[in-house]
Each structure stands twice: as C-alpha cells, then as structure tokens.
Amino acid sequence: MMKRFLTLILAIIFLSCTTTCAFAKKVKNLSQLERREIETHFYDTSDTDRVMKAAVNTLQDSGFVIQEVEPELGYLRASKVYKKRYVSKGRVAGNSLWLALMATYTVFSYGAGVGYMAEPAMHISNELHDKTVVVDSNVNVEKFGKNKTKVRFVLVQKVLQNADGYSFVKSAPTRVIRVYSPKVYQEFFAQLDKSIFYEGI
C-alpha cells in the first residue's frame, strides 16, 4: 500500500514538472529599435492638440481611466484594472511538489504533518484564482517635421499576486510585463486614426 502511494506521489511530481516544461513559451527578444517601431506611429497632421484629444478619447473608449495630462509636454498617462486567469505553471509545479512532500511526511508520521499541507494547498488555490491586472499606458505626442505628428504609445501590464495564499489580500506585483504584441498597438493606432478624423469634423 505504501509503495503504491509513493509511486503515485512521484508520478504527480513528474507530471507537474513535464507539464511545466511542455507549456513553457519562448518569447522573442526584440531590440530597442524594434520595440520603438511597434510603439510609434506618424500622422499626417501638425495639430498636436487635436491628436492629444483623440488619444484621450481612444483610451477612454478602451476602458482606461485618465490619470495625468500634460498638453504642453505632449504627455498622457492612463490606467485600466481588470481580472484575468493568469496561472504560473512554475509556481503550481513548485507548490505541488511541496504539497506532495508534506503528504509523504504526513503518511510516515502517522498524521503528525497534516498541518503543514495547508500552506502549499492554499498557494495552489490562490494561483488558480483570477488575478488583478493593472495596465498602465503612456502616450507621447510631438510634432515631427512640418506636417506630421509622432505618437509613441507604451503599455506596461502588472499582474498582482495575492499575498500568503489569501485571495482578498493583495501584495506587490509578481510580474511586470511590457507589452510588445504588434496587434495591440495596431488596434490602438487604428482607433486613434479614426478618432483624429472625428476630431477634425
């Protein structure tokens, strides 16, 4: 009976580790120039105030709350908060290993270690719950040449990890991710283009 139990524990550990490796994603490292190209767009207008107003409207239409506007500097900051299922397979695997070891200890100690199983189980439960995600955006608007305006749009996504396994207590972000998905920026600039057009009507 004991051998079967230990075999099961080892199988769980092995599957947790292999699953983590299988789902690991390779992220392409972009150069600073490539990042800037994704984040920057040029518009055929020299009216920076019009572009700034259009940027404010575009962000608000996308659910952002405007935090700061500096028209003279051409600077705009906004943020958005939402919930998302964001699971770190590495953390799940690590806590699963911890739980398996505590379960093994509990069996060999005839139940004396059962109290030690609560913390890793709590961390696993917390990891599988929805996280609070904060997205900060910065927009810089400036004249470029005589008849163009340059807009640089930067997104930073922060995933908040609940503290100590409790879903209602939030601590500092566990991950700060700078978004470089071309699709996200293409959608923003496409909406901004439409908003600039409507601002001119």
Side-chain angles (χ1 to χ4, degrees), residues 23-57:
F23 282 93
K25 294 182 179 179
K26 292 184 178 179
V27 179
K28 180 184 177 183
N29 291 323
L30 299 175
S31 67
Q32 187 64 39
L33 180 60
E34 289 174 322
R35 293 174 182 176
R36 189 168 295 183
E37 287 177 351
I38 292 173
E39 297 168 348
T40 306
H41 199 78
F42 297 89
Y43 292 94
D44 294 325
T45 177
S46 58
D47 191 345
T48 55
D49 290 337
R50 175 181 163 192
V51 174
M52 179 66 78
K53 290 178 182 178
V56 169
N57 290 333

Side-chain angles (χ1 to χ4, degrees), residues 5 8-9 12 92 94-126 164-166:
F5 178 77
L8 178 62
I9 294 297
I12 292 172
V92 172
N95 284 298
S96 296
L97 176 60
W98 182 10
L99 180 60
L101 292 174
M102 291 302 98
T104 304
Y105 172 68
T106 299
V107 171
F108 282 109
S109 63
Y110 299 98
V114 68
Y116 297 109
M117 296 174 61
E119 189 171 351
M122 194 163 48
H123 283 299
I124 293 171
S125 175
N126 172 62
D164 302 325
Y166 295 98

Side-chain angles (χ1 to χ4, degrees), residues 14 37 114 139 167 194:
F14 176 76
E37 287 177 351
V114 68
V139 181
S167 60
K194 293 178 183 178

Side-chain angles (χ1 to χ4, degrees), residues 1 3 5 17 23 29 36 38 45 52 54 64 73-74 82 92 98 123 130 135-136 150-151 154 177 184 190:
M1 183 69 180
K3 288 183 178 179
F5 178 77
C17 295
F23 282 93
N29 291 323
R36 189 168 295 183
I38 292 173
T45 177
M52 179 66 78
F64 283 85
L73 300 176
Y82 64 95
V92 172
W98 182 10
H123 283 299
D130 290 349
V135 182
D136 289 325
K150 183 173 76 171
V151 177
V154 178
I177 308 166
V184 173

Side-chain angles (χ1 to χ4, degrees), residues 39 55-56 58-60 62-69 74-81 134-140 152-158 177-179 184-185 188:
E39 297 168 348
V56 169
T58 300
L59 288 170
Q60 288 179 329
S62 299
F64 283 85
V65 176
I66 306 302
Q67 304 289 332
E68 183 181 359
V69 180
Y75 175 76
L76 166 63
R77 182 172 64 87
S79 66
K80 177 169 64 173
V81 180
V134 179
V135 182
D136 289 325
S137 66
N138 294 286
V139 181
N140 290 95
R152 187 174 183 187
F153 173 58
V154 178
L155 282 178
V156 178
Q157 177 175 289
K158 293 175 284 188
I177 308 166
R178 192 164 179 176
V179 180
V184 173
Y185 290 92
F188 170 79

